[in-house]
Amino acid sequence: MSEWIYFFDLWGTAVFALTGALAAGHHRMDPFGVLVLAGVTAVGGGSIRDALLGTTPVFWLQDPTYILIVLATVIATIIFNRTSPNAPWYVLPIADALGLALFTIIGTEKALSLGLSSISAVIMGVLTGVGGGIIRDVLCRQVPMVLRTEIYATASIVGGIAYCICLSTALDHFTSMCIAMLSAFGIRLAAIKWHLSLPAFDLKR
Amino acid sequence: MSEWIYFFDLWGTAVFALTGALAAGHHRMDPFGVLVLAGVTAVGGGSIRDALLGTTPVFWLQDPTYILIVLATVIATIIFNRTSPNAPWYVLPIADALGLALFTIIGTEKALSLGLSSISAVIMGVLTGVGGGIIRDVLCRQVPMVLRTEIYATASIVGGIAYCICLSTALDHFTSMCIAMLSAFGIRLAAIKWHLSLPAFDLKR
Amino acid sequence: MSEWIYFFDLWGTAVFALTGALAAGHHRMDPFGVLVLAGVTAVGGGSIRDALLGTTPVFWLQDPTYILIVLATVIATIIFNRTSPNAPWYVLPIADALGLALFTIIGTEKALSLGLSSISAVIMGVLTGVGGGIIRDVLCRQVPMVLRTEIYATASIVGGIAYCICLSTALDHFTSMCIAMLSAFGIRLAAIKWHLSLPAFDLKR
């Protein structure tokens, strides 16, 4: 992978670790609990992806940078929580949307590079993007947010499909990635701004 | 695997996807949540099995038919939920019992074909049969039904053991599968009809 | 692995299976539920470790002794629960602390033997030590105890780090293992005796 993808991957890791650390704070966990929640949110989706693909040892075991990023994020979160003024409310969702878009494309690309079909690759992309958040919510004993609320996974699905379509045309990898990432990112931002949701599936009584 | 096993495997996938989609409906999830719950119920047990066995990429990554079945089941469930009259109550449990029996034998057979011991193979069969339902219940924030209620996993265990015993005699694969499947299916049907349960393990206070 | 490590590994398996069986009793599960909870508590952490490392089929599939230990523990728990006088309260936590220390070192050692970095190895050790208990608590619908309460995982982390440090000096494997195990065991015992906790991470409102 080229260097800038790697950089964005680490960025996504830090953002997802932050959302996990904040969730741990809401449940008054001890520092180890904060670390675990930050860690599973950041690398949980990619770990399941690698275990299902068989690309083991999973990515963060081969490159400890990811773990160091999680560690640094947790320490920074605990320190800044007490000392800094609150960031504007929209900083976290926007950073999270960027992480979602990046992780989706990275997961999709990894599956495609192993020669899997497009449909499998899109699922691996979504798993990479939303898997960590699902484990985080399960450990906090909540029905995973992503299964119920605003368009989130849908943005990931669209991004993965867009990437596969772009690749099947004459577009090169770089352009395809940018288009796919922007579509996932844009859809998620629009969902945040206008509170877009898909209609819930309601059983006939 | 011979063709009719494959056919039954897809049948079990559709049935389990249906139970997952209905559970999602009970929790008013959005369409993506319905897809995820249907998917993990249908292929979750087999995915864990393949990850533990190391037969990766897991089965549905190598054959997207499983995913298409899940997709078709979800779409059909959402459409028919609004338009069709209710099916008789016993249709779903009977179909589910058949899925349980089929998945159990398929999981047991896969472990045996890798040269694992009978005891490991029976566990892999049970995992294939009940694993998806356990993940479904955890995501819906319930203590997994299979751990508490009517004889369900027990039917799966008996089926797996029956298969190993039949194979150790002079019986061929086909006959062994039929006997094992019928015993798991029969025990589960009997448990449904007469509400059979094992006694709960109650701690002395 | 030398024979006495293997013996201690089986010992840890029995102790963790016991804690799982007791948790199942508190939730009035049926015998299969007791088996599943005992099993995931005992071998769940090691299974995730092996799936992430790619050392598949996972350890208990290759050596059914672990499963037989779980089975024997469950049967013994159900029988003795009704017939025996209560053991002193401190027996279970001490046995559990020993299991935690043993599993931690075994997991750390396994990752190191695959050539992974120390930081990855420590995480694999912690995962082996606390992973099973986390799955047990999730299946019982509780926020995992280990994320919230007394110094537990911290003991495991210290043990893993101690092991890596000892190995990097001139100490042999055997001495390193003993030192690391004693530090994890000692910290956990001290936490039990004096109810030591790390301060919770509390979000600023």
Side-chain angles (χ1 to χ4, degrees), chain C residues 133-170:
Chain C
I134 289 182
I135 306 178
R136 176 197 61 209
D137 292 347
V138 165
L139 288 181
C140 291
R141 232 179 46 169
Q142 298 178 330
V143 174
M145 188 195 71
V146 69
L147 301 182
R148 297 219 287 191
T149 59
E150 287 166 1
I151 291 175
Y152 188 93
T154 309
S156 174
I157 295 175
V158 171
I161 293 176
Y163 186 58
C164 291
I165 291 176
C166 287
L167 281 185
S168 72
T169 66

mmCIF file of all heavy atoms in Angstrom, chain C residues 133-170:
data_model
loop_
_atom_site.group_PDB
_atom_site.id
_atom_site.type_symbol
_atom_site.label_atom_id
_atom_site.label_comp_id
_atom_site.label_asym_id
_atom_site.label_seq_id
_atom_site.Cartn_x
_atom_site.Cartn_y
_atom_site.Cartn_z
ATOM 1 N N GLY C 133 -13.239 -14.917 29.899
ATOM 2 C CA GLY C 133 -14.142 -14.299 30.866
ATOM 3 C C GLY C 133 -14.998 -13.211 30.241
ATOM 4 O O GLY C 133 -16.159 -13.016 30.628
ATOM 5 N N ILE C 134 -14.427 -12.496 29.258
ATOM 6 C CA ILE C 134 -15.206 -11.447 28.590
ATOM 7 C C ILE C 134 -16.355 -12.062 27.794
ATOM 8 O O ILE C 134 -17.493 -11.600 27.858
ATOM 9 C CB ILE C 134 -14.281 -10.590 27.685
ATOM 10 C CG1 ILE C 134 -13.361 -9.721 28.560
ATOM 11 C CG2 ILE C 134 -15.095 -9.724 26.742
ATOM 12 C CD1 ILE C 134 -12.434 -8.810 27.789
ATOM 13 N N ILE C 135 -16.068 -13.148 27.041
ATOM 14 C CA ILE C 135 -17.150 -13.796 26.281
ATOM 15 C C ILE C 135 -18.215 -14.329 27.244
ATOM 16 O O ILE C 135 -19.414 -14.189 27.004
ATOM 17 C CB ILE C 135 -16.608 -14.956 25.423
ATOM 18 C CG1 ILE C 135 -15.468 -14.487 24.531
ATOM 19 C CG2 ILE C 135 -17.724 -15.551 24.577
ATOM 20 C CD1 ILE C 135 -14.881 -15.603 23.697
ATOM 21 N N ARG C 136 -17.771 -14.938 28.354
ATOM 22 C CA ARG C 136 -18.725 -15.452 29.348
ATOM 23 C C ARG C 136 -19.668 -14.349 29.808
ATOM 24 O O ARG C 136 -20.892 -14.538 29.830
ATOM 25 C CB ARG C 136 -17.951 -15.996 30.559
ATOM 26 C CG ARG C 136 -18.834 -16.475 31.710
ATOM 27 C CD ARG C 136 -18.017 -16.588 32.998
ATOM 28 N NE ARG C 136 -17.466 -15.274 33.377
ATOM 29 C CZ ARG C 136 -16.333 -15.084 34.052
ATOM 30 N NH1 ARG C 136 -15.620 -16.120 34.440
ATOM 31 N NH2 ARG C 136 -15.920 -13.866 34.350
ATOM 32 N N ASP C 137 -19.114 -13.167 30.133
ATOM 33 C CA ASP C 137 -19.946 -12.084 30.637
ATOM 34 C C ASP C 137 -20.881 -11.535 29.563
ATOM 35 O O ASP C 137 -22.021 -11.156 29.846
ATOM 36 C CB ASP C 137 -19.068 -10.967 31.215
ATOM 37 C CG ASP C 137 -18.345 -11.424 32.482
ATOM 38 O OD1 ASP C 137 -18.716 -12.485 33.026
ATOM 39 O OD2 ASP C 137 -17.423 -10.725 32.923
ATOM 40 N N VAL C 138 -20.395 -11.481 28.298
ATOM 41 C CA VAL C 138 -21.256 -10.989 27.221
ATOM 42 C C VAL C 138 -22.436 -11.937 27.025
ATOM 43 O O VAL C 138 -23.581 -11.510 26.874
ATOM 44 C CB VAL C 138 -20.453 -10.838 25.910
ATOM 45 C CG1 VAL C 138 -21.396 -10.683 24.722
ATOM 46 C CG2 VAL C 138 -19.531 -9.635 25.989
ATOM 47 N N LEU C 139 -22.181 -13.259 27.056
ATOM 48 C CA LEU C 139 -23.265 -14.224 26.870
ATOM 49 C C LEU C 139 -24.264 -14.138 28.027
ATOM 50 O O LEU C 139 -25.442 -14.428 27.858
ATOM 51 C CB LEU C 139 -22.716 -15.651 26.766
ATOM 52 C CG LEU C 139 -21.981 -15.983 25.471
ATOM 53 C CD1 LEU C 139 -21.509 -17.429 25.479
ATOM 54 C CD2 LEU C 139 -22.881 -15.760 24.264
ATOM 55 N N CYS C 140 -23.791 -13.758 29.209
ATOM 56 C CA CYS C 140 -24.692 -13.584 30.359
ATOM 57 C C CYS C 140 -25.261 -12.176 30.404
ATOM 58 O O CYS C 140 -25.902 -11.792 31.371
ATOM 59 C CB CYS C 140 -23.967 -13.876 31.664
ATOM 60 S SG CYS C 140 -23.545 -15.595 31.858
ATOM 61 N N ARG C 141 -25.006 -11.390 29.391
ATOM 62 C CA ARG C 141 -25.563 -10.051 29.239
ATOM 63 C C ARG C 141 -25.088 -9.102 30.318
ATOM 64 O O ARG C 141 -25.851 -8.305 30.842
ATOM 65 C CB ARG C 141 -27.091 -10.128 29.253
ATOM 66 C CG ARG C 141 -27.708 -9.434 28.084
ATOM 67 C CD ARG C 141 -29.190 -9.548 28.114
ATOM 68 N NE ARG C 141 -29.758 -9.268 29.405
ATOM 69 C CZ ARG C 141 -31.064 -9.105 29.619
ATOM 70 N NH1 ARG C 141 -31.894 -9.214 28.628
ATOM 71 N NH2 ARG C 141 -31.530 -8.856 30.803
ATOM 72 N N GLN C 142 -23.798 -9.181 30.651
ATOM 73 C CA GLN C 142 -23.239 -8.248 31.609
ATOM 74 C C GLN C 142 -22.086 -7.489 30.972
ATOM 75 O O GLN C 142 -21.378 -8.025 30.132
ATOM 76 C CB GLN C 142 -22.718 -9.010 32.830
ATOM 77 C CG GLN C 142 -23.815 -9.748 33.565
ATOM 78 C CD GLN C 142 -23.296 -10.539 34.728
ATOM 79 O OE1 GLN C 142 -22.155 -10.994 34.704
ATOM 80 N NE2 GLN C 142 -24.114 -10.726 35.731
ATOM 81 N N VAL C 143 -21.903 -6.224 31.383
ATOM 82 C CA VAL C 143 -20.692 -5.528 30.990
ATOM 83 C C VAL C 143 -19.537 -6.304 31.618
ATOM 84 O O VAL C 143 -19.539 -6.562 32.822
ATOM 85 C CB VAL C 143 -20.678 -4.076 31.483
ATOM 86 C CG1 VAL C 143 -19.344 -3.430 31.192
ATOM 87 C CG2 VAL C 143 -21.792 -3.282 30.822
ATOM 88 N N PRO C 144 -18.575 -6.754 30.790
ATOM 89 C CA PRO C 144 -17.525 -7.630 31.318
ATOM 90 C C PRO C 144 -16.893 -7.083 32.596
ATOM 91 O O PRO C 144 -16.411 -5.953 32.622
ATOM 92 C CB PRO C 144 -16.533 -7.706 30.171
ATOM 93 C CG PRO C 144 -17.369 -7.527 28.967
ATOM 94 C CD PRO C 144 -18.435 -6.541 29.359
ATOM 95 N N MET C 145 -16.905 -7.908 33.626
ATOM 96 C CA MET C 145 -16.355 -7.570 34.930
ATOM 97 C C MET C 145 -14.938 -7.034 34.815
ATOM 98 O O MET C 145 -14.570 -6.068 35.471
ATOM 99 C CB MET C 145 -16.347 -8.833 35.777
ATOM 100 C CG MET C 145 -15.986 -8.659 37.216
ATOM 101 S SD MET C 145 -15.593 -10.310 37.906
ATOM 102 C CE MET C 145 -14.008 -10.636 37.068
ATOM 103 N N VAL C 146 -14.167 -7.676 33.938
ATOM 104 C CA VAL C 146 -12.751 -7.349 33.853
ATOM 105 C C VAL C 146 -12.519 -5.911 33.397
ATOM 106 O O VAL C 146 -11.463 -5.336 33.631
ATOM 107 C CB VAL C 146 -12.054 -8.347 32.918
ATOM 108 C CG1 VAL C 146 -12.490 -8.136 31.488
ATOM 109 C CG2 VAL C 146 -10.574 -8.259 33.030
ATOM 110 N N LEU C 147 -13.529 -5.317 32.711
ATOM 111 C CA LEU C 147 -13.369 -3.950 32.228
ATOM 112 C C LEU C 147 -13.653 -2.923 33.316
ATOM 113 O O LEU C 147 -13.377 -1.747 33.156
ATOM 114 C CB LEU C 147 -14.312 -3.693 31.049
ATOM 115 C CG LEU C 147 -14.148 -4.590 29.829
ATOM 116 C CD1 LEU C 147 -15.109 -4.186 28.744
ATOM 117 C CD2 LEU C 147 -12.734 -4.563 29.308
ATOM 118 N N ARG C 148 -14.224 -3.358 34.418
ATOM 119 C CA ARG C 148 -14.696 -2.385 35.382
ATOM 120 C C ARG C 148 -14.112 -2.500 36.782
ATOM 121 O O ARG C 148 -14.100 -1.525 37.530
ATOM 122 C CB ARG C 148 -16.212 -2.515 35.517
ATOM 123 C CG ARG C 148 -16.906 -2.199 34.227
ATOM 124 C CD ARG C 148 -18.143 -1.443 34.485
ATOM 125 N NE ARG C 148 -19.157 -2.315 35.057
ATOM 126 C CZ ARG C 148 -20.416 -1.946 35.189
ATOM 127 N NH1 ARG C 148 -20.800 -0.755 34.788
ATOM 128 N NH2 ARG C 148 -21.287 -2.753 35.705
ATOM 129 N N THR C 149 -13.688 -3.702 37.184
ATOM 130 C CA THR C 149 -13.468 -3.879 38.613
ATOM 131 C C THR C 149 -11.998 -4.024 38.971
ATOM 132 O O THR C 149 -11.127 -3.595 38.236
ATOM 133 C CB THR C 149 -14.233 -5.101 39.102
ATOM 134 O OG1 THR C 149 -13.747 -6.216 38.364
ATOM 135 C CG2 THR C 149 -15.698 -4.912 38.885
ATOM 136 N N GLU C 150 -11.807 -4.658 40.111
ATOM 137 C CA GLU C 150 -10.499 -4.793 40.708
ATOM 138 C C GLU C 150 -9.400 -5.127 39.696
ATOM 139 O O GLU C 150 -9.656 -5.702 38.651
ATOM 140 C CB GLU C 150 -10.538 -5.927 41.746
ATOM 141 C CG GLU C 150 -11.291 -5.538 43.000
ATOM 142 C CD GLU C 150 -11.591 -6.776 43.812
ATOM 143 O OE1 GLU C 150 -11.186 -7.870 43.391
ATOM 144 O OE2 GLU C 150 -12.245 -6.651 44.855
ATOM 145 N N ILE C 151 -8.200 -4.788 40.071
ATOM 146 C CA ILE C 151 -7.039 -5.039 39.235
ATOM 147 C C ILE C 151 -7.005 -6.498 38.818
ATOM 148 O O ILE C 151 -6.766 -7.384 39.643
ATOM 149 C CB ILE C 151 -5.764 -4.677 40.003
ATOM 150 C CG1 ILE C 151 -5.711 -3.166 40.171
ATOM 151 C CG2 ILE C 151 -4.527 -5.201 39.320
ATOM 152 C CD1 ILE C 151 -4.574 -2.676 41.016
ATOM 153 N N TYR C 152 -7.316 -6.762 37.558
ATOM 154 C CA TYR C 152 -7.367 -8.137 37.088
ATOM 155 C C TYR C 152 -6.511 -8.228 35.823
ATOM 156 O O TYR C 152 -5.463 -8.857 35.813
ATOM 157 C CB TYR C 152 -8.821 -8.539 36.814
ATOM 158 C CG TYR C 152 -9.024 -10.004 36.504
ATOM 159 C CD1 TYR C 152 -9.338 -10.895 37.509
ATOM 160 C CD2 TYR C 152 -8.891 -10.491 35.215
ATOM 161 C CE1 TYR C 152 -9.522 -12.243 37.231
ATOM 162 C CE2 TYR C 152 -9.072 -11.826 34.932
ATOM 163 C CZ TYR C 152 -9.396 -12.694 35.934
ATOM 164 O OH TYR C 152 -9.559 -14.027 35.644
ATOM 165 N N ALA C 153 -6.973 -7.512 34.783
ATOM 166 C CA ALA C 153 -6.202 -7.505 33.549
ATOM 167 C C ALA C 153 -4.846 -6.836 33.777
ATOM 168 O O ALA C 153 -3.857 -7.204 33.138
ATOM 169 C CB ALA C 153 -6.972 -6.777 32.461
ATOM 170 N N THR C 154 -4.806 -5.884 34.681
ATOM 171 C CA THR C 154 -3.540 -5.206 34.960
ATOM 172 C C THR C 154 -2.494 -6.215 35.439
ATOM 173 O O THR C 154 -1.323 -6.136 35.047
ATOM 174 C CB THR C 154 -3.754 -4.116 36.028
ATOM 175 O OG1 THR C 154 -4.851 -3.293 35.616
ATOM 176 C CG2 THR C 154 -2.525 -3.265 36.198
ATOM 177 N N ALA C 155 -2.928 -7.173 36.281
ATOM 178 C CA ALA C 155 -2.011 -8.223 36.720
ATOM 179 C C ALA C 155 -1.481 -9.005 35.525
ATOM 180 O O ALA C 155 -0.298 -9.351 35.447
ATOM 181 C CB ALA C 155 -2.721 -9.155 37.694
ATOM 182 N N SER C 156 -2.381 -9.250 34.570
ATOM 183 C CA SER C 156 -1.998 -9.995 33.377
ATOM 184 C C SER C 156 -1.004 -9.194 32.536
ATOM 185 O O SER C 156 0.001 -9.738 32.048
ATOM 186 C CB SER C 156 -3.270 -10.319 32.584
ATOM 187 O OG SER C 156 -2.969 -10.914 31.367
ATOM 188 N N ILE C 157 -1.262 -7.906 32.387
ATOM 189 C CA ILE C 157 -0.349 -7.060 31.606
ATOM 190 C C ILE C 157 1.044 -7.050 32.247
ATOM 191 O O ILE C 157 2.063 -7.233 31.569
ATOM 192 C CB ILE C 157 -0.881 -5.610 31.512
ATOM 193 C CG1 ILE C 157 -2.187 -5.582 30.718
ATOM 194 C CG2 ILE C 157 0.145 -4.692 30.881
ATOM 195 C CD1 ILE C 157 -2.845 -4.208 30.683
ATOM 196 N N VAL C 158 1.080 -6.854 33.569
ATOM 197 C CA VAL C 158 2.368 -6.823 34.259
ATOM 198 C C VAL C 158 3.104 -8.149 34.083
ATOM 199 O O VAL C 158 4.317 -8.171 33.827
ATOM 200 C CB VAL C 158 2.155 -6.511 35.760
ATOM 201 C CG1 VAL C 158 3.453 -6.681 36.535
ATOM 202 C CG2 VAL C 158 1.607 -5.110 35.928
ATOM 203 N N GLY C 159 2.369 -9.257 34.187
ATOM 204 C CA GLY C 159 3.003 -10.565 34.007
ATOM 205 C C GLY C 159 3.634 -10.711 32.630
ATOM 206 O O GLY C 159 4.766 -11.180 32.491
ATOM 207 N N GLY C 160 2.889 -10.279 31.604
ATOM 208 C CA GLY C 160 3.402 -10.397 30.242
ATOM 209 C C GLY C 160 4.638 -9.534 30.030
ATOM 210 O O GLY C 160 5.627 -9.960 29.421
ATOM 211 N N ILE C 161 4.587 -8.287 30.539
ATOM 212 C CA ILE C 161 5.735 -7.393 30.389
ATOM 213 C C ILE C 161 6.935 -7.956 31.155
ATOM 214 O O ILE C 161 8.064 -7.963 30.636
ATOM 215 C CB ILE C 161 5.372 -5.971 30.898
ATOM 216 C CG1 ILE C 161 4.322 -5.350 29.972
ATOM 217 C CG2 ILE C 161 6.608 -5.090 30.980
ATOM 218 C CD1 ILE C 161 3.810 -3.989 30.428
ATOM 219 N N ALA C 162 6.677 -8.453 32.370
ATOM 220 C CA ALA C 162 7.768 -9.031 33.150
ATOM 221 C C ALA C 162 8.437 -10.181 32.393
ATOM 222 O O ALA C 162 9.666 -10.312 32.387
ATOM 223 C CB ALA C 162 7.239 -9.523 34.502
ATOM 224 N N TYR C 163 7.621 -10.991 31.737
ATOM 225 C CA TYR C 163 8.171 -12.123 30.994
ATOM 226 C C TYR C 163 9.081 -11.653 29.863
ATOM 227 O O TYR C 163 10.197 -12.170 29.689
ATOM 228 C CB TYR C 163 7.028 -12.978 30.451
ATOM 229 C CG TYR C 163 7.476 -14.248 29.789
ATOM 230 C CD1 TYR C 163 8.244 -15.186 30.486
ATOM 231 C CD2 TYR C 163 7.150 -14.532 28.463
ATOM 232 C CE1 TYR C 163 8.663 -16.362 29.885
ATOM 233 C CE2 TYR C 163 7.566 -15.701 27.859
ATOM 234 C CZ TYR C 163 8.321 -16.610 28.565
ATOM 235 O OH TYR C 163 8.738 -17.774 27.960
ATOM 236 N N CYS C 164 8.608 -10.646 29.111
ATOM 237 C CA CYS C 164 9.421 -10.134 28.006
ATOM 238 C C CYS C 164 10.726 -9.518 28.516
ATOM 239 O O CYS C 164 11.792 -9.699 27.900
ATOM 240 C CB CYS C 164 8.629 -9.091 27.210
ATOM 241 S SG CYS C 164 7.245 -9.803 26.299
ATOM 242 N N ILE C 165 10.644 -8.780 29.619
ATOM 243 C CA ILE C 165 11.860 -8.169 30.170
ATOM 244 C C ILE C 165 12.840 -9.244 30.640
ATOM 245 O O ILE C 165 14.038 -9.187 30.323
ATOM 246 C CB ILE C 165 11.496 -7.219 31.342
ATOM 247 C CG1 ILE C 165 10.742 -5.995 30.810
ATOM 248 C CG2 ILE C 165 12.750 -6.786 32.101
ATOM 249 C CD1 ILE C 165 10.269 -5.048 31.892
ATOM 250 N N CYS C 166 12.339 -10.239 31.366
ATOM 251 C CA CYS C 166 13.217 -11.304 31.853
ATOM 252 C C CYS C 166 13.926 -11.999 30.699
ATOM 253 O O CYS C 166 15.127 -12.274 30.756
ATOM 254 C CB CYS C 166 12.410 -12.338 32.646
ATOM 255 S SG CYS C 166 11.889 -11.755 34.262
ATOM 256 N N LEU C 167 13.173 -12.280 29.628
ATOM 257 C CA LEU C 167 13.770 -12.981 28.487
ATOM 258 C C LEU C 167 14.857 -12.140 27.830
ATOM 259 O O LEU C 167 15.825 -12.678 27.291
ATOM 260 C CB LEU C 167 12.696 -13.320 27.448
ATOM 261 C CG LEU C 167 11.826 -14.532 27.754
ATOM 262 C CD1 LEU C 167 10.905 -14.812 26.580
ATOM 263 C CD2 LEU C 167 12.679 -15.771 28.059
ATOM 264 N N SER C 168 14.689 -10.816 27.856
ATOM 265 C CA SER C 168 15.659 -9.946 27.196
ATOM 266 C C SER C 168 16.948 -9.837 28.016
ATOM 267 O O SER C 168 17.951 -9.334 27.522
ATOM 268 C CB SER C 168 15.061 -8.554 26.978
ATOM 269 O OG SER C 168 14.969 -7.887 28.222
ATOM 270 N N THR C 169 16.896 -10.299 29.259
ATOM 271 C CA THR C 169 18.135 -10.375 30.042
ATOM 272 C C THR C 169 18.740 -11.755 29.828
ATOM 273 O O THR C 169 18.328 -12.491 28.932
ATOM 274 C CB THR C 169 17.841 -10.165 31.541
ATOM 275 O OG1 THR C 169 17.057 -11.277 31.993
ATOM 276 C CG2 THR C 169 17.085 -8.888 31.781
ATOM 277 N N ALA C 170 19.686 -12.109 30.656
ATOM 278 C CA ALA C 170 20.343 -13.393 30.466
ATOM 279 C C ALA C 170 19.555 -14.565 31.065
ATOM 280 O O ALA C 170 19.997 -15.712 31.002
ATOM 281 C CB ALA C 170 21.743 -13.339 31.093
#
